[in-house]
Amino acid sequence: MGIKSDKIWLDGEFVDFEDANVHILTHTLHYGLGAFEGIRCYQREDGKSAIFRLSEHIRRLIESCKICTIDVPFTQEQIERACIETVKVNGFEDCYLRPLVFLGHGEMGLSATSNKVRVAVIAWKWGAYLGDEGLEKGIRAKVSSFNRHHVNSSMVKGKINGQYVNSILAKREVMAAGYDEAIMLDTDGYISEASGENIFIVYRNRLFTTPIGSSILGGITRDTIVTLAKERGISIIEQRFTRDMLYTADEIFMVGTAAEITPVRELDERTIGDGTVGPVTKALQAAYFDQVKGSSTDHPEWLAIVE
Ligand code: PMP
């Protein structure tokens, strides 16, 4: 099925997929100043479709724009509604949603300020980002030679288009070496995150994740897992940790909207734990899937029902 849909929401109205085009002088295409989101809509056990944590994603989109000094010409509520309508108009029961804010054509150069701010919402069918087998059995990861941005080189809390060059270089590097995903260190050499996921480890029976005030993107899945873990009596230590702690961890898993909860079975040629999916990963993965597409009624505030 690929990334095809019938309609794309562009600047306030629906256009046909083939007509959702931009000019070659589109500013963001040249310099990368823009912001985007990645959101999933799931069909739940009761048959209803729900977009998971829609308002948190759109809030992050608007905050990313604020970081970039871009004034978004739509309200949070309007963009949320556009996401719901995009699922409906395309007749999807489950899909991935890609809201995008970018600067259109007009002025060129870095000093441009008059370009129209354009907003799109695109939907497509997207299966398991790191593969079904990866979700079930775990993936093979490698620490990349590329560091995650320094916190004052790029604005790491923003999901900003141009910043993804860093993630893509890391991802391409490790994929060329035969691995599934890249783990990036921060500029001090501590674990930061994967190319598109935050990282959790179980180390000496305690669950760790990197702190929000570090170089990571503040992942919404990360926040979901922290909440679900605490509700199950699993306390979380949010602090920086080192690469060798990963090598000797009992469990490692990566979390993100696209990758969901993906275990890591091997890192830099070392088997993690006994190479199978560990009990904490399994429990939190099950809790996550029950929350997003099962029958859990624990967090109705996280579900934007498509209706
Ligand atoms: N880190 C990076 C660099 C990402 O691109 C993503 C995906 N948006 C994440 C972490 C996970 O964020 P979320 O759980 O909000 O999808």
Side-chain angles (χ1 to χ4, degrees):
M1 166 126 207
I3 53 168
K4 180 88 174 64
S5 60
D6 286 342
K7 301 276 181 195
I8 288 176
W9 188 90
L10 187 59
D11 302 325
E13 59 185 39
F14 283 106
V15 298
D16 288 340
F17 183 89
E18 288 75 18
D19 296 330
N21 303 314
V22 295
H23 196 277
I24 195 67
L25 288 175
T26 295
H27 196 277
T28 305
L29 189 60
H30 295 251
Y31 306 118
L33 191 77
F36 68 100
E37 269 305 319
I39 315 175
R40 275 193 192 267
C41 174
Y42 291 93
Q43 185 171 36
R44 296 172 55 77
E45 246 168 55
D46 62 8
K48 288 187 182 154
S49 294
I51 305 177
F52 191 60
R53 303 201 71 175
L54 175 62
S55 51
E56 290 87 342
H57 279 282
I58 304 305
R59 190 197 314 143
R60 186 172 66 187
L61 180 72
I62 289 170
E63 286 177 356
S64 296
C65 290
K66 182 176 185 186
I67 292 169
C68 289
T69 65
I70 294 174
D71 288 327
V72 187
F74 295 94
T75 63
Q76 160 133 10
E77 203 184 2
Q78 285 172 318
I79 302 175
E80 286 181 27
R81 196 65 233 167
C83 289
I84 292 172
E85 294 301 326
T86 302
V87 177
K88 274 169 69 176
V89 80
N90 285 297
F92 286 138
E93 278 149 352
D94 54 80
C95 62
Y96 182 83
L97 279 162
R98 167 58 52 81
L100 172 69
V101 180
F102 62 102
L103 303 183
H105 66 286
E107 270 186 89
M108 283 309 281
L110 304 188
S111 58
T113 51
S114 66
N115 299 46
K116 182 176 169 188
V117 177
R118 307 194 62 188
V119 185
V121 178
I122 310 131
W124 66 84
K125 295 286 272 186
W126 216 2
Y129 177 67
L130 295 169
D132 288 324
E133 198 184 320
L135 264 187
E136 202 193 318
K137 297 193 174 136
I139 58 161
R140 297 175 61 243
K142 181 169 171 57
V143 173
S144 170
S145 68
F146 294 97
N147 288 118
R148 168 89 176 151
H149 312 269
H150 184 277
V151 293
N152 202 32
S153 301
S154 294
M155 298 293 99
V156 290
K157 290 294 168 281
K159 206 166 159 57
I160 297 168
N161 298 67
Q163 289 178 186
Y164 276 79
V165 171
N166 180 241
S167 287
I168 294 174
L169 289 176
K171 179 95 183 175
R172 287 188 171 194
E173 177 189 38
V174 306
M175 284 185 71
Y179 296 85
D180 304 307
E181 184 54 299
I183 291 180
M184 303 173 78
L185 307 178
D186 64 22
T187 47
D188 293 328
Y190 291 88
I191 299 298
S192 177
E193 61 180 344
S195 70
E197 301 87 29
N198 295 121
I199 294 179
F200 286 74
I201 65 170
V202 178
Y203 182 80
R204 309 278 192 267
N205 291 321
R206 294 186 304 168
L207 186 61
F208 289 76
T209 194
T210 38
I212 204 75
S214 67
S215 62
I216 62 167
L217 180 77
I220 289 160
T221 320
R222 174 193 180 283
D223 181 75
T224 303
I225 290 298
V226 167
T227 306
L228 295 178
K230 284 181 183 162
E231 285 171 358
R232 281 154 186 78
I234 306 170
S235 57
I236 307 244
I237 303 168
E238 297 184 50
Q239 69 175 47
R240 293 208 296 188
F241 43 87
T242 56
R243 179 173 181 168
D244 47 11
M245 285 173 75
L246 260 68
Y247 293 155
T248 53
D250 301 313
E251 302 179 34
I252 305 176
F253 56 95
M254 298 179 173
V255 310
T257 299
E260 299 164 313
I261 315 303
T262 299
V264 178
R265 65 181 159 86
E266 188 188 314
L267 175 66
D268 292 351
E269 310 299 329
R270 284 127 176 123
T271 301
I272 302 307
D274 64 3
T276 64
V277 182
V280 177
T281 309
K282 261 192 195 151
L284 291 172
Q285 197 184 46
Y288 185 76
F289 283 126
D290 192 32
Q291 181 59 59
V292 296
K293 63 179 177 186
S295 55
S296 169
T297 50
D298 288 352
H299 289 282
E301 74 282 10
W302 285 349
L303 306 176
I305 309 290
V306 177
E307 55 192 5

